[in-house]
Amino acid sequence: MDLAKYRAIFIEEATENFAEMSGALLELEKNPGSTESIDVVFRMAHSIKGMAASLGYDAVTDLAHRMEDRMQVVRAEGSAAPGPELSLLFRGLKALEDMVEVVKTSDDLPSPAPAELLAALSGPRGDVEPREATAAPVMEPPALPRHPQLGPAASEVPALEASQRSVDTPRPPPSVRVHTDTLDRFLSTVGEVILNTSQVRTAAAVYEATKAPDLAEGLDRMDRVVGELQRRALDLRTTPVLRILDPLPRVARELAERSGKRVEVELLGAELELDRSILDRLSDPLVHLLRNAVDHGVETPEARVAAGKSDVGRIVVEARREKDSIRISVSDDGAGVDLGRVKARAIEAGVIHRDLADDLPPEQIAAFIFHPGLSTRDEISEISGRGVGMDAVKASIESLGGSAQVVSDAGRGTVTSLLVPITAAVQRVLLLGLGDEIVALPISKVERVLEMRGDRIERSGSEAFAMVDDELVPVFDLADGLALQPNPGGELVHLVLTEVRGERVALLAERIDGQQQIYVKPVPELLSRKRALAGLTILGDGRPVFLVDLNQTV
Amino acid sequence: MARVLVADDASFMRQMIREIVEAEGHEVVGEASDGDEAVEEFKRLHPDVVTMDIVMPRRSGIDAVKGIMELDSSAKVVMCSALGQETLVQEALAAGALDFIVKPFKPDAVLATLAKVAEKE
């Protein structure tokens, strides 16, 4: 028997089992009598037991066996006892996950679970004492799944008792597993094909179509096929947001348990799909927002009851489509951001002058939480104080071409949201000529392009405006913003209407060099600190063109 | 040599059985990952022997045995059980299963049971 092969299958399958078990336990917390969820936890424990026994992981087998037995008792009783019994099951799950992590990262056999946990699982039902918070070992939030689940997530296919089974449950189409590395290499190759196609087309343009009709026809056919290839490749790149939202309810639960709070997490829009490369970089920021919501948003049960709220805090994590972007928001019904304190910290840290601070609208004050070095708590709590701050969240979202916002309502709660583009790799762009340089702007950001006489642009001091649709729109010289030679300003100028941070603006460009589908590569390391540059592509004639990040330019 | 249908919700277990029986020259003609699929695949493939896990989603292994028996009362089903499932094994045998193998699988035991069941009239 090829042990390495079975070990890999075990790790993969157990990890899926854990995710299902976790989802079912969370469901049992809301609905302790859900026979379906009881059944899933039982079945997952059983499945893990069988695999572990085959591989000689006795510690895993023993713990899974006791979890299974416990679930059998729960099934016989008809419901899980909320509170202590569920905590016990969650601890069992966590211990199983840790053991599989040992299998994954070392050649060691996992060591047995704590005797106290094993005894409690096999003990009588009433004998489950809630742990004292002070004695509790520090638990890390569960690791987020690192491998993609192609096809529908397992938790979307609930197990049904034979009697409850609905006949019309559609079976998901068969799926295959592909290593992310393989997929990435494939997608990168597709990008190169797209790039090469446009280079070939440019090179072939020297032959007139009449002289080489076969060439023209061949190129057209190739374009169609490459277009199809590109659409399929884009489909492969997208993954349901569920993949990063799925672990959040449990993370929240563990965080809340440690700080003596109670929270319930609802996930909405998890079926929306997003470019995988973007999705992967969203999960840490999202965990951070969730931590903030649990730590600083949701109040203690006593404080909530005193404020006339339910003792269980409610956090909604929602993904919503907005044009070519997806907004993922984390809303809590807690106390809201303490704006007075944020303002005081901002003044103290020298971010803003006291006199100016008083004139700022609440949303701008709230936005200070994204500023480096401003934490609103006098003492950073053990949980949120670790790792990244909100400034890091903002920076990492902006590097994806997105933005982060916070809206707070004193006493009613806080909504933090991340807006990110759906696809990153292939974009249709407008090429703008600025002197000798060409820069690219995503077409999706362009409202329209106007031609206007230079003298119609009104200047007052260093600012410029133009009348567009009876509206005064600020005009920015892109060349100036990118520190290129300023626009010489001929008789006719081009204005590209776009939106920056919700404001309509017009960009002044010397030439419009057409539209093109480009494959965006990351900006080379050397230039990666130039935040105005969002990406790089090579045109058909071999010239490098940078994709401009307007948020950093205007 | 027998044509075998393997029903188990864990692909780990399916592969393990496949490896064991194929090494002996039997043919695994199909796999099923739940009880419904097991019955459907039985109907489609008419295997000589079915190995049937007890705990499966949608429809348990025991219910799947009943479903298969309704289709063909001479079907040969071997239950795959774990320790502690003795009562369920009894129930499955009563429903028409011919024998059982115990997880973790020992190749010799699996093959011996398979051979015994396949020869039964």
Side-chain angles (χ1 to χ4, degrees):
Chain A
M1 191 173 88
D2 181 357
L3 268 184
K5 179 178 108 186
Y6 283 99
R7 191 172 84 160
I9 305 174
F10 168 67
I11 292 167
E12 197 163 317
E13 206 154 352
T15 306
E16 279 172 20
N17 291 160
F18 291 151
E20 262 197 79
M21 195 189 265
S22 165
L25 285 174
L26 286 165
E27 176 59 31
L28 282 176
E29 194 157 54
K30 285 185 222 161
N31 178 8
S34 160
T35 47
E36 196 178 309
S37 302
I38 294 172
D39 204 52
V40 170
V41 180
F42 172 81
R43 200 152 41 72
M44 295 305 125
H46 177 78
S47 199
I48 292 165
K49 178 183 81 170
M51 291 188 281
S54 306
L55 289 170
Y57 301 141
D58 295 343
V60 181
T61 311
D62 184 29
L63 178 55
H65 183 66
R66 289 175 199 246
M67 298 264 293
E68 184 189 343
D69 281 353
R70 183 76 189 199
M71 289 317 293
Q72 209 143 13
V73 176
V74 170
R75 180 145 65 180
E77 294 288 330
S79 75
E85 183 160 54
L86 274 168
S87 286
L88 184 63
L89 291 166
F90 269 113
R91 284 173 60 210
L93 167 58
K94 179 78 177 71
L96 283 174
E97 285 174 331
D98 290 346
M99 289 176 182
V100 170
E101 191 60 28
V102 170
V103 173
K104 194 168 166 182
T105 53
S106 72
D107 287 330
D108 302 339
L109 289 176
S111 17
E116 156 268 331
L117 173 62
L118 295 174
L121 277 169
S122 302
R125 280 194 107 199
D127 205 23
V128 195
E129 288 300 319
R131 286 178 307 151
E132 287 192 20
T134 48
V138 175
M139 289 192 292
E140 294 292 327
L144 300 176
R146 288 288 175 221
H147 64 85
Q149 294 185 342
L150 294 175
S155 57
E156 286 177 317
V157 188
L160 298 177
E161 295 281 4
S163 55
Q164 296 179 311
R165 183 181 173 264
S166 56
V167 188
D168 53 357
T169 315
R171 213 175 266 283
S175 59
V176 289
R177 283 171 198 291
V178 181
H179 236 275
T180 43
D181 289 352
T182 313
L183 192 58
D184 284 343
R185 274 200 297 274
F186 170 73
L187 292 171
S188 156
T189 313
V190 171
E192 297 291 333
V193 170
I194 294 168
L195 221 57
N196 284 332
T197 314
S198 70
Q199 281 166 354
V200 169
R201 196 168 259 294
T202 310
V206 298
Y207 302 103
E208 287 168 40
T210 48
K211 288 185 188 154
D214 287 357
L215 181 60
E217 207 174 292
L219 282 173
D220 285 345
R221 265 204 307 278
M222 184 167 78
D223 268 356
R224 277 196 299 277
V225 178
V226 168
E228 174 69 14
L229 185 62
Q230 181 188 328
R231 277 189 295 281
R232 304 262 171 202
L234 279 179
D235 284 349
L236 281 183
R237 288 187 67 98
T238 61
T239 313
V241 182
L242 178 73
R243 183 158 140 239
I244 58 164
L245 298 194
D246 209 26
L248 296 182
R250 211 168 131 219
V251 173
R253 190 192 180 279
E254 290 190 7
L255 290 169
E257 197 169 48
R258 281 158 64 188
S259 46
K261 296 176 180 177
R262 295 187 59 197
V263 294
E264 212 176 81
V265 177
E266 188 179 355
L267 304 179
L268 296 172
E271 73 286 355
L272 289 179
E273 298 203 337
L274 198 55
D275 191 290
R276 191 165 46 78
S277 62
I278 294 177
L279 203 60
D280 283 343
R281 287 163 68 187
L282 278 180
S283 76
D284 286 345
L286 262 181
V287 167
H288 190 77
L289 296 190
L290 190 74
R291 284 185 173 186
N292 266 351
V294 175
D295 280 2
H296 304 317
V298 173
E299 315 89 326
T300 58
E302 302 77 43
R304 291 184 61 87
V305 171
K309 301 177 183 178
S310 142
D311 60 339
V312 181
R314 202 176 133 72
I315 298 176
V316 179
V317 183
E318 180 180 17
R320 224 177 28 237
R321 175 130 194 194
E322 287 185 11
K323 286 190 217 161
D324 57 345
S325 303
I326 284 203
R327 181 183 295 278
I328 303 185
S329 59
V330 177
S331 331
D332 66 64
D333 65 349
V337 176
D338 186 343
L339 292 180
R341 197 188 291 264
V342 173
K343 187 152 80 176
R345 293 294 293 246
I347 294 169
E348 198 181 307
V351 176
I352 182 142
H353 193 273
R354 186 175 301 278
D355 301 341
L356 288 174
D358 289 336
D359 297 334
L360 286 181
E363 62 270 19
Q364 285 194 26
I365 294 174
F368 281 132
I369 67 167
F370 291 116
H371 205 282
L374 296 187
S375 182
T376 53
R377 280 286 157 111
D378 291 334
E379 279 178 49
I380 295 172
S381 80
E382 175 222 352
I383 303 165
S384 283
R386 220 184 300 135
V388 293
M390 289 295 267
D391 54 322
V393 168
K394 182 165 178 261
S396 86
I397 296 306
E398 284 176 352
S399 74
L400 296 171
S403 59
Q405 279 98 30
V406 59
V407 180
S408 174
D409 192 351
R412 311 262 306 267
T414 307
V415 181
T416 39
S417 64
L418 309 175
L419 188 69
V420 290
I422 290 175
T423 54
V426 182
Q427 294 194 355
R428 181 159 278 280
V429 294
L430 187 66
L431 298 174
L432 306 176
L434 309 168
D436 293 339
E437 298 292 331
I438 297 176
V439 297
L441 202 62
I443 278 280
S444 57
K445 299 258 183 274
V446 176
E447 182 191 321
R448 66 179 203 267
V449 180
L450 299 172
E451 245 181 14
M452 190 179 272
R453 283 185 29 202
D455 55 15
R456 296 266 310 277
I457 294 175
E458 299 166 30
R459 289 176 198 277
S460 101
S462 62
E463 306 200 334
F465 293 92
M467 277 302 264
V468 179
D469 308 332
D470 300 330
E471 187 192 345
L472 217 47
V473 176
V475 175
F476 287 93
D477 186 350
L478 254 189
D480 199 27
L482 293 169
L484 300 168
Q485 285 293 318
N487 196 324
E491 193 142 300
L492 275 180
V493 294
H494 293 96
L495 291 182
V496 179
L497 284 182
T498 177
E499 219 183 60
V500 179
R501 291 180 292 268
E503 301 277 335
R504 202 175 187 209
V505 300
L507 304 171
L508 189 60
E510 203 176 319
R511 299 183 311 276
I512 303 292
D513 287 351
Q515 292 185 23
Q516 202 166 330
Q517 189 101 295
I518 62 165
Y519 178 70
V520 185
K521 292 163 168 278
V523 175
E525 189 71 36
L526 199 63
L527 293 170
S528 60
R529 297 184 67 87
K530 301 274 177 226
R531 300 177 66 184
L533 309 178
L536 170 71
T537 192
I538 314 287
L539 289 189
D541 59 8
R543 262 205 292 179
V545 165
F546 286 103
L547 195 69
V548 177
D549 182 350
L550 290 177
N551 282 312
Q552 307 292 341
T553 318
V554 174
Chain B
M1 289 298 114
R3 298 169 66 254
V4 183
L5 169 64
V6 178
D8 199 309
D9 57 336
S11 78
F12 181 98
M13 289 298 170
R14 294 199 301 271
Q15 291 211 33
M16 205 165 240
I17 297 184
R18 179 185 276 272
E19 198 162 302
I20 293 171
V21 304
E22 283 183 345
E24 191 69 7
H26 299 291
E27 185 193 357
V28 174
V29 290
E31 293 187 7
S33 57
D34 62 48
D36 277 343
E37 209 174 65
V39 178
E40 280 167 30
E41 290 296 277
F42 178 85
K43 201 174 355 178
R44 191 170 71 85
L45 300 166
H46 301 291
D48 300 328
V49 181
V50 184
T51 70
M52 181 81 75
D53 185 27
I54 294 181
V55 181
M56 283 194 293
R58 287 170 198 272
R59 187 169 182 176
S60 78
I62 294 174
D63 284 340
V65 171
K66 292 176 185 161
I68 287 175
M69 287 301 145
E70 278 171 24
L71 292 171
D72 175 3
S73 59
S74 67
K76 294 168 177 172
V77 184
V78 174
M79 302 310 288
C80 304
S81 81
L83 288 174
Q85 292 185 316
E86 290 74 14
T87 338
L88 293 172
V89 170
Q90 289 303 326
E91 201 181 319
L93 294 176
L98 292 179
D99 212 329
F100 64 96
I101 47 181
V102 182
K103 292 180 204 173
F105 300 128
K106 292 187 180 59
D108 291 348
V110 173
L111 293 171
T113 308
L114 197 69
K116 192 170 82 186
V117 169
E119 281 165 17
K120 269 193 191 168
E121 273 312 308

